């Protein structure tokens, strides 16, 4: 009996909650706890392009530039550089042009590294680095070294290595002088030396390099804020090419080494990924400038604090939304999104606005809402014989479909209001977006969506009265290609079919896997398809290029999946593409929007909203859709978290006490039975 009560004592007095999912060494630590649903595809910064991968890569690697954490609109600032790049415009003879020059042959970006930048400790820098092992933990000896300009040059070289297959290789080949030619040579001989190999990249000294880009390309600064341009130690190639390295899964993709605030400690993507504070991280401080609302929201309280403020980042794999949500409510995850299943229990409508439910408010959970710099749209193959084309009739057909597909209704039913209807390709937060924008082909002057009757009239003008061809009488049938990750859920597809049926069009859905879907897009074999685009950088060019004819998916392997080709659009786009954000550029964008609204190569478009939750003990969390290196700014009151976890996860002792009572009763009855039988004997 004493043993039973001793176990009971341990359960009640244990320091960690009984359902704590973490090892004891992570309990009550200055750590950030979160989860990921999909495993990261890459930890190599030259290859990482998806959201999950960037969540890790951006904490490990530092780019030359970064965005100011608090300023909006997004503002670039030096990160690894001592100052912003020195920009010089050149003519075809290499002579310097004035800063207001209209015609620029090349632009030179001079990058100067900060002093005393060092890489995270790694065995590739160790004198005994060539002792091949089969696991990361078997390498006992780590070292480091200073970052030099050769590391930046090597990172650019890796972008065009055939074996790396960087997703931005073709874009950079278009802009960096000499990169395209060097890339062609590499395809014939991947063993070519990388030093002094790219004509547009020149090493000045160990801290300085020049990068030449063709023409005037102000967006290049945004690329310098992405992990693609993070310095990579040039030793990595020889280190990871040792015998049995790749065979044992040891590559830069699994064992990254950067200069960021955090370094990889544990990489088990099926269960847990842990990052730990980089002991060699440079001196960086929490910002002291921001918007007035940042001051009101307490985002400037840590002004001047040394970064990073959290010692360890712990990410657990959660393949389903429900366990993720449950552990967030228990306090074991510091932040969470809101899935559709949890939406009704998490939020409530308060005088036309979204607010947290009473239960979450009582837990001290905080809510933030922001519109992503993204667009999701149903694209039309403009080469299709039925829906494509630029005649008045074809435009009327697409406009009729756009009116019938009530995007506001879709957002309300299936997204819980977590998006806004798109009026143009440019989302909020990007230069050129105008709150007053209304698509006149879909809405009347009061902003009210045009009626189904009007859509039917347009369909009649297009040659399909009552949904049938005016000459042959054949029904109008259209085909939508989709995947389970797009509009592939049955309830959504049923809704779409009903919307088309309102104007007597028959929709046929062709579901397929993602690879086949991509293949159809690349071949121009789809009639309708649903796809999205997240901003690489906060510039309208990063969205408008999706409709540039030079970016045609079938002809140039670009991202213009609709194969849209309007000469007036192309002319305006090329004119404003590399302009600074001036009133003139804004006016040109407004003209361009009107062209797209009339042509309707995209229909049923929306900009998603992000609803984010975090516990009150997580400080300095600000929505940032184009930034990824945000965790170094955040702070955790882990003592408050420990207290709340203990409070919210008290073991339910009554059933235990009932079991103890039953055990005691049975034991006593058994004891009496034994005693009686002994007496009889």
């Amino acid at each position: 009996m004493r043993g039973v009560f001793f176990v009971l004592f341990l359960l009640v007095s244990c320091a960690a909650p009984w359902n704590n999912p973490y090892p004891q060494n992570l309990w009550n630590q200055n750590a950030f706890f979160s989860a990921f649903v999909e495993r990261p595809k890459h930890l190599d910064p030259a290859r990482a392009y998806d959201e999950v991968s960037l969540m890790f890569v951006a904490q490990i690697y530092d780019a030359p530039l970064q965005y100011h954490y608090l300023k909006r609109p997004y503002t670039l600032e030096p990160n690894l550089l001592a100052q912003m790049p020195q920009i010089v415009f050149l003519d075809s003879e290499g002579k310097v042009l004035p800063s207001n020059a209209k015609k620029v042959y090349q632009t030179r970006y001079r990058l100067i590294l900060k002093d005393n930048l060092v890489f995270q400790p790694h065995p590739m820098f160790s004198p005994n680095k060539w002792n091949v092992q089969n696991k990361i933990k078997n390498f006992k000896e780590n070292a480091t070294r200073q970052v030099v300009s050769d590391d930046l040059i090597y990172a650019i070289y890796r972008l065009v290595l055939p074996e790396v297959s960087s997703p931005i290789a073709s874009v950079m080949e278009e802009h960096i002088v000499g990169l395209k030619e060097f890339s062609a040579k590499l395809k014939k001989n991947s063993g070519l030396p990388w030093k002094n190999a790219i004509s547009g990249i020149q090493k000045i000294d160990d801290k300085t390099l020049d990068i030449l880009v063709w023409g005037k390309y102000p967006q290049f600064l945004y690329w310098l804020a992405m992990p693609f341009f993070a310095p990579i130690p040039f030793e990595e190639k020889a280190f990871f090419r040792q015998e049995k390295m790749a065979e044992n899964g040891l590559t830069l993709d699994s064992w990254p080494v950067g200069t960021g605030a955090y370094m990889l400690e544990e990489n088990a993507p099926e269960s847990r990924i842990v990052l730990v504070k980089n002991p060699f991280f440079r001196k960086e401080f929490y910002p002291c400038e921001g918007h007035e609302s940042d001051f009101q929201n307490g985002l400037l309280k840590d002004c001047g604090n040394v970064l990073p403020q959290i010692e360890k980042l712990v990410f657990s794999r959660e393949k389903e939304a429900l366990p993720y949500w449950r552990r967030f409510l228990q306090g074991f995850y510091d932040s969470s999104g809101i899935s559709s299943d949890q939406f009704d229990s998490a939020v409530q409508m308060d005088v036309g606005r979204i607010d947290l439910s009473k239960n979450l408010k009582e837990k001290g959970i905080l809510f933030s809402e922001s519109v992503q710099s993204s667009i999701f749209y149903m694209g039309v193959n403009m080469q299709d014989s039925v829906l494509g084309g630029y005649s008045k009739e074809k435009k009327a057909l697409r406009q009729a479909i756009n009116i019938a597909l009530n995007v506001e209704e879709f957002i309300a039913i299936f997204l819980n209001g977590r998006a806004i209807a798109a009026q143009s390709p440019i989302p909020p937060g990007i230069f050129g977006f105008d709150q007053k924008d209304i698509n006149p082909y879909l809405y009347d002057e009061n902003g009210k969506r045009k009626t189904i009757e009007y859509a039917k009239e347009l369909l009649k003008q297009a040659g399909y009265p009552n949904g049938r061809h005016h000459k042959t009488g054949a029904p109008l049938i259209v085909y939508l290609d989709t995947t389970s990750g797009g509009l592939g859920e049955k309830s959504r597809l049923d809704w779409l079919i009903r919307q088309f049926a309102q104007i007597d069009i028959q929709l046929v859905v062709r579901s397929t896997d993602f690879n086949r879907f991509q293949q159809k897009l690349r071949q121009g074999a789809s009639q309708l398809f649903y796809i999205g685009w997240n901003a690489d950088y906060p510039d309208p060019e990063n969205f408008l290029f999706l409709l540039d004819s030079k970016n045609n998916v079938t002809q140039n392997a670009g991202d213009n999946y609709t194969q849209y080709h309007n000469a007036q659009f192309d002319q305006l786009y090329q004119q404003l593409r590399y302009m600074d954000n001036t009133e003139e550029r804004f006016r040109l964008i407004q003209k361009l929007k009107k062209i797209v609204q009339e042509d309707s190569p995209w229909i049923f478009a929306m900009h998603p909203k992000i609803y984010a939750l975090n516990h009150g003990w997580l400080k300095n969390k600000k929505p940032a859709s184009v930034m990824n290196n945000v965790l170094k700014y955040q702070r955790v009151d882990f003592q408050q978290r420990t207290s709340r976890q203990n409070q919210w996860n008290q073991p339910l002792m009554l059933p235990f006490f009932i079991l103890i009572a039953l055990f005691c009763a049975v034991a006593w009855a058994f004891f009496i039975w034994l005693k009686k039988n002994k007496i009889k004997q």
Side-chain angles (χ1 to χ4, degrees), residues 568-612:
Q568 189 181 3
F569 177 97
D570 289 347
Q571 182 184 2
L572 284 171
Y573 170 71
Q574 293 301 329
Q575 189 177 344
L576 64 84
R577 185 179 181 188
Y578 301 134
M579 290 175 65
D580 294 323
N581 288 337
T582 60
E583 289 186 12
E584 182 184 0
R585 193 186 198 204
F586 187 84
R587 285 195 298 271
L588 292 175
I589 290 172
Q590 302 314 303
K591 290 181 181 179
L592 188 146
K593 287 182 193 175
K594 291 178 181 177
I595 295 170
V596 176
Q597 288 169 342
E598 181 181 355
D599 286 349
S600 297
W602 294 356
I603 55 180
F604 189 63
M606 67 190 82
H607 307 298
K609 286 182 180 180
I610 292 294
Y611 290 168

Side-chain angles (χ1 to χ4, degrees), residues 152 166 221 226 301 329 386 498 521 601 613 654:
L152 286 170
S166 174
L221 290 176
M226 300 175 72
K301 287 182 179 180
L329 294 181
V386 177
R498 290 196 299 272
L521 291 185
L613 302 177
L654 181 60

Side-chain angles (χ1 to χ4, degrees), residues 146-158:
Q146 285 202 8
V147 179
V148 294
S149 53
D150 275 338
D151 299 311
L152 286 170
I153 295 171
Y154 180 72
I156 298 172
Y157 152 80
R158 290 187 76 251

Side-chain angles (χ1 to χ4, degrees), residues 150-211:
D150 275 338
D151 299 311
L152 286 170
I153 295 171
Y154 180 72
I156 298 172
Y157 152 80
R158 290 187 76 251
L159 294 178
V160 292
L161 264 181
E163 64 211 58
V164 172
S165 189
S166 174
I168 69 159
S170 60
V171 178
M172 290 302 109
E173 287 173 11
E174 179 187 347
H175 293 292
I176 296 178
V177 174
L179 192 61
K180 190 171 187 178
E181 292 76 10
F182 181 64
S183 176
K185 293 177 182 177
L186 277 177
K187 288 171 184 173
K188 297 178 182 178
N189 180 11
S190 62
L192 287 174
W194 57 272
K195 287 190 176 182
N196 303 314
I198 304 168
S199 61
I201 301 177
Q202 182 182 4
K203 175 183 175 180
I204 308 301
D205 56 42
D206 277 349
K207 288 178 56 182
T208 312
L209 73 149
D210 286 344
I211 302 177

